[in-house]
Coordinates of all heavy atoms in Angstrom, one line a residue:
E27 N 12.6 11.1 13.0 CA 13.5 11.8 12.0 C 13.6 10.8 10.8 O 13.6 9.6 11.0 CB 14.8 12.1 12.6 CG 14.9 13.1 13.7 CD 16.3 13.3 14.2 OE1 17.4 13.2 13.4 OE2 16.4 13.5 15.5
H28 N 13.9 11.4 9.7 CA 14.2 10.6 8.5 C 15.3 9.6 8.8 O 16.3 10.0 9.4 CB 14.7 11.5 7.4 CG 14.9 10.8 6.2 ND1 13.9 10.3 5.2 CD2 16.0 10.5 5.4 CE1 14.4 9.7 4.3 NE2 15.7 9.8 4.4
G29 N 15.1 8.3 8.5 CA 16.1 7.4 8.7 C 15.8 6.5 10.0 O 16.4 5.5 10.3
Q30 N 15.0 7.2 11.0 CA 14.5 6.6 12.2 C 13.1 6.3 12.2 O 12.6 5.8 13.3 CB 15.0 7.5 13.3 CG 16.4 7.9 13.3 CD 17.3 6.7 13.6 OE1 17.1 5.9 14.4 NE2 18.4 6.6 12.8
D31 N 12.3 6.6 11.2 CA 10.9 6.5 11.2 C 10.4 5.2 10.9 O 10.3 4.6 9.8 CB 10.3 7.5 10.2 CG 8.9 7.7 10.4 OD1 8.1 6.8 10.8 OD2 8.3 8.9 10.1
I32 N 10.0 4.4 12.1 CA 9.6 3.0 11.9 C 8.2 2.9 11.3 O 7.9 1.9 10.6 CB 9.7 2.2 13.2 CG1 8.6 3.0 14.3 CG2 10.9 2.3 13.9 CD1 8.3 2.1 15.5
V33 N 7.4 4.0 11.3 CA 6.0 3.8 10.7 C 6.3 3.9 9.1 O 5.7 3.1 8.4 CB 5.1 4.9 11.2 CG1 3.8 4.8 10.5 CG2 4.9 4.7 12.7
C34 N 7.1 4.9 8.8 CA 7.3 5.1 7.3 C 8.0 3.8 6.7 O 7.6 3.3 5.7 CB 8.2 6.3 7.0 SG 8.4 6.7 5.3
A35 N 9.0 3.3 7.4 CA 9.7 2.1 7.1 C 8.8 0.9 6.9 O 8.8 0.1 6.0 CB 11.0 1.9 7.9
G36 N 8.0 0.8 8.0 CA 7.1 -0.3 8.0 C 6.0 -0.4 6.9 O 5.9 -1.4 6.1
A37 N 5.5 0.8 6.7 CA 4.4 1.0 5.6 C 5.1 0.7 4.2 O 4.5 0.1 3.3 CB 3.8 2.3 5.7
S38 N 6.2 1.3 4.0 CA 6.9 1.1 2.7 C 7.3 -0.4 2.6 O 7.2 -0.8 1.4 CB 8.2 1.9 2.7 OG 7.9 3.3 2.8
A39 N 7.9 -1.0 3.6 CA 8.1 -2.4 3.5 C 6.9 -3.3 3.1 O 7.0 -4.2 2.3 CB 8.8 -2.9 4.8
V40 N 5.9 -3.0 3.7 CA 4.6 -3.8 3.5 C 4.1 -3.5 2.1 O 3.9 -4.6 1.3 CB 3.4 -3.4 4.5 CG1 2.1 -4.0 4.0 CG2 3.7 -3.9 5.9
L41 N 4.1 -2.4 1.6 CA 3.7 -2.0 0.3 C 4.6 -2.6 -0.8 O 4.2 -3.3 -1.7 CB 3.5 -0.5 0.0 CG 3.0 -0.1 -1.4 CD1 1.6 -0.7 -1.7 CD2 3.0 1.4 -1.5
F42 N 5.9 -2.3 -0.6 CA 6.9 -2.7 -1.7 C 6.9 -4.2 -1.7 O 7.1 -4.9 -2.7 CB 8.3 -2.2 -1.4 CG 8.3 -0.7 -1.6 CD1 9.2 0.1 -0.8 CD2 7.5 0.0 -2.5 CE1 9.4 1.4 -0.9 CE2 7.7 1.4 -2.6 CZ 8.5 2.1 -1.9
G43 N 7.1 -4.8 -0.4 CA 7.0 -6.3 -0.4 C 5.8 -7.0 -1.0 O 6.0 -8.0 -1.8
S44 N 4.7 -6.4 -0.8 CA 3.5 -7.0 -1.5 C 3.6 -6.8 -3.0 O 3.2 -7.8 -3.7 CB 2.2 -6.2 -0.9 OG 2.1 -6.4 0.4
I45 N 3.9 -5.7 -3.5 CA 4.0 -5.5 -4.9 C 5.0 -6.5 -5.6 O 5.0 -7.1 -6.6 CB 4.2 -4.1 -5.4 CG1 3.0 -3.2 -4.7 CG2 4.3 -3.9 -6.8 CD1 1.7 -3.7 -5.1
N46 N 6.2 -6.5 -4.8 CA 7.3 -7.4 -5.4 C 6.9 -8.9 -5.3 O 7.2 -9.6 -6.2 CB 8.5 -7.2 -4.5 CG 9.3 -5.9 -4.7 OD1 9.2 -5.4 -5.8 ND2 10.1 -5.5 -3.8
A47 N 6.0 -9.3 -4.4 CA 5.6 -10.6 -4.3 C 4.5 -10.9 -5.4 O 4.6 -12.0 -6.2 CB 4.9 -10.9 -3.0
I48 N 3.7 -9.9 -5.7 CA 2.8 -10.0 -6.8 C 3.5 -10.2 -8.1 O 3.3 -11.1 -8.9 CB 1.8 -8.7 -7.0 CG1 0.8 -8.8 -5.8 CG2 1.1 -8.7 -8.3 CD1 0.0 -7.6 -5.5
M49 N 4.5 -9.3 -8.4 CA 5.3 -9.5 -9.6 C 6.2 -10.7 -9.7 O 6.4 -11.2 -10.7 CB 6.1 -8.1 -9.8 CG 5.3 -7.0 -10.0 SD 6.0 -5.4 -9.9 CE 7.6 -5.6 -10.8
G50 N 6.6 -11.2 -8.6 CA 7.4 -12.3 -8.5 C 6.8 -13.7 -8.5 O 7.3 -14.7 -9.0
L51 N 5.6 -13.7 -7.9 CA 4.9 -15.0 -7.6 C 3.7 -15.2 -8.6 O 3.1 -16.3 -8.4 CB 4.5 -15.1 -6.2 CG 5.6 -15.0 -5.2 CD1 5.1 -15.0 -3.8 CD2 6.5 -16.3 -5.4
T52 N 3.2 -14.2 -9.3 CA 1.9 -14.3 -10.1 C 2.3 -13.8 -11.5 O 3.4 -13.3 -11.8 CB 0.9 -13.5 -9.5 OG1 1.1 -12.1 -9.8 CG2 0.6 -13.6 -8.1
S53 N 1.4 -14.0 -12.4 CA 1.5 -13.5 -13.8 C 1.2 -11.9 -13.9 O 1.4 -11.3 -14.9 CB 0.6 -14.2 -14.7 OG -0.8 -14.0 -14.2

Side-chain angles (χ1 to χ4, degrees):
E27 293 180 37
H28 182 73
Q30 304 294 316
D31 194 327
I32 62 171
V33 177
C34 188
S38 295
V40 167
L41 179 65
F42 295 149
S44 298
I45 300 310
N46 286 337
I48 288 169
M49 292 171 44
L51 299 173
T52 76
S53 61

